[in-house]
Amino acid sequence: MPGFMTARWPPDYPVPQPPTVWPEENVALLERYLVWLYANNAGHTSIHDYYLPTAGHVLGYHLEHHKTLDLQTSFERVMAYFKAKQICERWQIMGRHALARFRRFMQEERGYARLPQTMRENRLEKYQEGLPDWLVVQLSQHQQIRQQNWRRSRLQDAIVNFWSSHSRLWRWLFAEYDIQEIGDIKRSYIHSYIDHRLALKMSVGSVNLELRAFQGTLRFLQERDFEVPQSLLRLPGLRAADELQRYLTDEQVRRLQAEFERCVQVEDTPARRRNALLNRAVFYLLWQAGLRTSEIEDLLLLELDLPHKQLTIREGKGKKDRTVYLTARTCVVIQEYLEVRGSSHTDHIFLYRHEPLGKDLVRNRIKAAGRRAGVKVTPHQLRHTFATQLVNTGCRITTIQALMGHKRLSTTLVYAEVHNHTVAEDYYTAMAKVEQSLEGYLRKPQAEKPAENGHDSGANGNAAHLLSLVTALQVELLPESQQVLVMELKRGLKAMAKPPDKAPRRQVVNEQKSYPQEIGYPP
């Protein structure tokens, strides 16, 4: 670099060695790096003034095979070399950017997922600005582990989202406080950050998401022998208010369905009719199959089995495969779309202008149809509606979990919202069965066998038997209302099973009976 060549450094300071003493593998690596830079549209001046010299410094300090190169310690050594040369701050910033570029090249060399070339370099650099090199390296490794479960079609957006959420709190901390190591971070700093975000009118959910990402990074660092204060890991999130309804009512679904059907009937040109059939098929897969938007975009023809009314989702969220079943109506609308799908170089089921669907097309078209139908809707709301309608028609929650592709049952419970009328129906149905079973015991015929003291021992024995059954119930597992019913049954059965203290008084014929005045019976 021109700025580096004119700078001075202390006497006897260790300097990088020239390529003549490097291993041959490292010389070949630098040549591949030059090709990679040009392939990624780096400028000629930047390549020869910044990127190549900086990579040469890294390799010049490491005279062993590049596979043993530590991306953290080696890069820190080069930054220390820059500072020792007393170069200006601007050149140090350029050197840091050059190291970041060489780090990405090395990650690809070692088999990590390659970012699409359409991604602009500064999309990640702006999230790394202000962070120490050691943290950038650790976050990069954290990302590389996490991205093993990300869909390839969404890899570019997923990487950017990762850095956006996982670096925001860190960047604020290093900008506001003098932090040299993780132990310097105090709980009060995090509280100040939360106040700062809330003052910017950020939602509670967004703040909690950033806090969870920060704590996730702390746990990752802890696993790599960094000393992490436990007080930071125990920080609770903010209490969020009850969310608004996330599913559509039956009336809203009917209006939305009618709108998609109407568009198919009224469109008169081939292109518009093809789009209408595409929109309707996507709507049915979202509503009646519960697919995610990204899963619809990635569907291939070989994954569709219309004769058996099923669809195979390959590498869904978390890289999980699952089978989705289709209704007869869904099969019909998909078949009608396939008849006008057209040709393409790809086997994706859904095409727009002979290319796979873009990430915003489905969302925009669902929302546009909702506006025409007077229904505020998103594709993910249709997925919520799918789960909610199933659970309220009696489908087992574990079946819904499998259909939705959820790893945890608790996640399915967030989607499947039980209506109040469903709770009431389930309660009355269950209690009717309880009462019917107990009524069967009470009405069981008993042989008449008078006791010596005039008490019916058969009824006494029957009541004692029922009492033992009721007592054996695990009352604590029942709802509160059913617990009350069981306690009432126990009291009544105890009274029936208890023998009288004395023989009953002989009834006198035509004896005048007395009734309590306070309950309104006639005297």
Side-chain angles (χ1 to χ4, degrees):
M1 296 183 185
F4 290 177
M5 298 303 294
T6 59
R8 300 292 183 182
W9 58 86
D12 302 327
Y13 192 90
V15 297
Q17 298 300 307
T20 54
V21 298
W22 295 359
E24 294 182 0
E25 297 82 3
N26 291 8
V27 176
L29 176 74
L30 192 64
E31 294 174 351
R32 291 198 299 274
Y33 181 47
L34 175 62
V35 175
W36 183 89
L37 288 170
Y38 278 114
N40 282 271
N41 300 319
H44 177 81
T45 301
S46 297
I47 289 175
H48 292 278
D49 286 353
Y50 308 128
Y51 299 140
L52 273 185
T54 303
H57 294 332
V58 174
L59 297 174
Y61 274 123
H62 188 80
L63 299 182
E64 300 178 4
H65 197 290
H66 62 80
K67 291 184 178 180
T68 63
L69 182 68
D70 188 306
L71 298 185
Q72 179 176 352
T73 58
S74 297
F75 284 21
E76 290 176 350
R77 188 174 185 181
V78 172
M79 285 304 301
Y81 169 66
F82 291 162
K83 294 176 182 178
K85 293 180 68 172
Q86 301 178 11
I87 61 176
C88 66
E89 183 179 356
R90 173 174 173 270
W91 287 105
Q92 290 189 38
I93 294 175
M94 297 303 296
R96 185 180 297 109
H97 289 171
L99 286 172
R101 179 71 67 99
F102 186 55
R103 179 186 292 113
R104 286 193 291 276
F105 167 74
M106 291 299 298
Q107 290 169 352
E108 293 186 15
E109 278 282 317
R110 295 178 176 183
Y112 300 131
R114 180 187 177 100
L115 298 180
Q117 294 184 5
T118 56
M119 176 182 291
R120 297 177 58 187
E121 298 295 338
N122 61 1
R123 290 186 71 184
L124 294 186
E125 289 178 356
K126 69 178 182 180
Y127 298 121
Q128 299 169 356
E129 191 70 34
L131 298 179
D133 292 336
W134 66 265
L135 183 57
V136 172
V137 171
Q138 294 300 322
L139 283 173
S140 298
Q141 294 177 359
H142 190 21
Q143 169 219 311
Q144 292 153 12
I145 293 174
R146 292 279 303 276
Q147 75 183 29
Q148 302 305 315
N149 291 326
W150 295 343
R151 298 176 68 89
R152 293 185 179 181
S153 61
R154 292 294 184 94
L155 183 60
Q156 178 176 345
D157 293 329
I159 291 176
V160 173
N161 291 337
F162 172 88
W163 280 95
S164 174
S165 60
H166 284 71
S167 68
R168 182 174 286 113
L169 202 159
W170 287 102
R171 285 185 280 116
W172 186 87
L173 288 174
F174 283 103
E176 295 293 324
Y177 302 100
D178 182 18
I179 297 174
Q180 302 299 324
E181 56 185 18
I182 300 176
D184 296 335
I185 304 175
K186 304 182 184 302
R187 285 172 64 101
S188 59
Y189 297 173
I190 310 302
H191 293 153
S192 298
Y193 174 79
I194 293 175
D195 293 339
H196 164 71
R197 297 295 284 170
L198 293 177
L200 295 177
K201 307 299 182 182
M202 299 300 297
S203 67
V204 171
S206 297
V207 175
N208 284 339
L209 181 63
E210 294 166 5
L211 180 59
R212 287 195 297 270
F214 173 72
Q215 292 175 327
T217 304
L218 290 178
R219 294 187 182 93
F220 178 83
L221 295 174
Q222 191 177 51
E223 293 174 355
R224 278 149 182 77
D225 299 327
F226 284 80
E227 294 185 3
V228 177
Q230 293 299 311
S231 59
L232 298 179
L233 297 176
R234 291 195 295 265
L235 271 172
L238 301 176
R239 184 179 295 275
D242 292 338
E243 297 185 13
L244 298 176
Q245 177 176 299
R246 290 165 293 188
Y247 60 89
L248 301 183
T249 64
D250 292 345
E251 174 59 26
Q252 290 173 322
V253 172
R254 280 193 290 269
R255 286 157 54 189
L256 199 58
Q257 181 184 20
E259 171 60 24
F260 282 105
E261 297 289 353
R262 183 193 67 82
C263 290
V264 171
Q265 299 300 323
V266 300
E267 299 298 355
D268 51 0
T269 66
R272 290 181 177 179
R273 177 172 172 78
R274 180 171 58 250
N275 279 332
L277 291 171
L278 165 66
N279 298 341
R280 184 180 65 173
V282 167
F283 164 72
Y284 273 90
L285 285 175
L286 291 168
W287 166 41
Q288 293 195 354
L291 267 63
R292 300 178 178 93
T293 303
S294 59
E295 293 170 345
I296 289 179
E297 295 167 356
D298 293 343
L299 282 178
L300 301 178
L301 292 172
L302 58 86
E303 298 166 349
L304 179 62
D305 186 0
L306 289 181
H308 295 91
K309 299 181 181 179
Q310 63 185 33
L311 186 66
T312 302
I313 304 298
R314 301 292 184 189
E315 293 190 354
K317 190 174 182 179
K319 291 292 187 74
K320 292 177 59 178
D321 296 349
R322 75 180 190 277
T323 299
V324 174
Y325 299 94
L326 307 175
T327 63
R329 181 57 182 165
T330 303
C331 291
V332 169
V333 299
I334 293 177
Q335 181 61 48
E336 291 182 357
Y337 162 73
L338 291 177
E339 293 173 359
V340 298
R341 169 181 174 271
S343 61
S344 175
H345 62 88
T346 177
D347 288 334
H348 287 79
I349 293 178
F350 297 109
L351 305 174
Y352 179 65
R353 295 180 177 176
H354 305 285
E355 296 290 338
L357 302 183
K359 69 182 184 67
D360 294 326
L361 186 142
V362 171
R363 180 181 180 86
N364 292 340
R365 292 196 172 184
I366 292 295
K367 293 179 70 173
R371 286 192 294 270
R372 294 193 300 269
V375 178
K376 189 175 182 180
V377 60
T378 64
H380 209 62
Q381 274 184 298
L382 292 173
R383 183 168 158 85
H384 277 278
T385 304
F386 167 75
T388 299
Q389 289 181 335
L390 286 181
V391 76
N392 284 285
T393 52
C395 186
R396 289 183 297 181
I397 195 68
T398 50
T399 299
I400 301 176
Q401 177 189 8
L403 293 173
M404 300 281 286
H406 288 154
K407 180 178 180 180
R408 297 179 179 87
L409 188 61
S410 58
T411 306
T412 308
L413 294 174
V414 172
Y415 281 76
E417 303 184 30
V418 182
H419 300 323
N420 289 335
H421 70 82
T422 303
V423 176
E425 290 177 0
D426 288 348
Y427 168 77
Y428 288 120
T429 300
M431 289 309 301
K433 293 180 179 178
V434 171
E435 293 174 346
Q436 183 179 5
S437 62
L438 293 175
E439 183 180 1
Y441 281 111
L442 293 173
R443 293 183 177 180
K444 186 175 180 180
Q446 299 289 330
E448 296 184 1
K449 183 178 179 181
E452 296 179 357
N453 58 1
H455 183 64
D456 189 350
S457 61
N460 189 315
N462 189 26
H465 176 64
L466 290 175
L467 180 60
S468 64
L469 292 176
V470 175
T471 305
L473 290 174
Q474 295 181 343
V475 179
E476 65 276 5
L477 301 180
L478 298 176
E480 183 178 355
S481 58
Q482 296 183 18
Q483 292 183 27
V484 173
L485 176 61
V486 172
M487 296 306 296
E488 291 292 335
L489 287 170
K490 289 176 68 175
R491 280 194 290 269
L493 292 172
K494 283 182 180 179
M496 293 175 59
K498 182 179 180 181
D501 296 333
K502 58 182 180 178
R505 183 172 62 89
R506 186 164 56 91
Q507 181 70 44
V508 179
V509 179
N510 296 330
E511 178 181 15
Q512 182 68 36
K513 296 182 180 179
S514 61
Y515 299 91
Q517 294 292 326
E518 62 269 16
I519 62 175
Y521 287 112

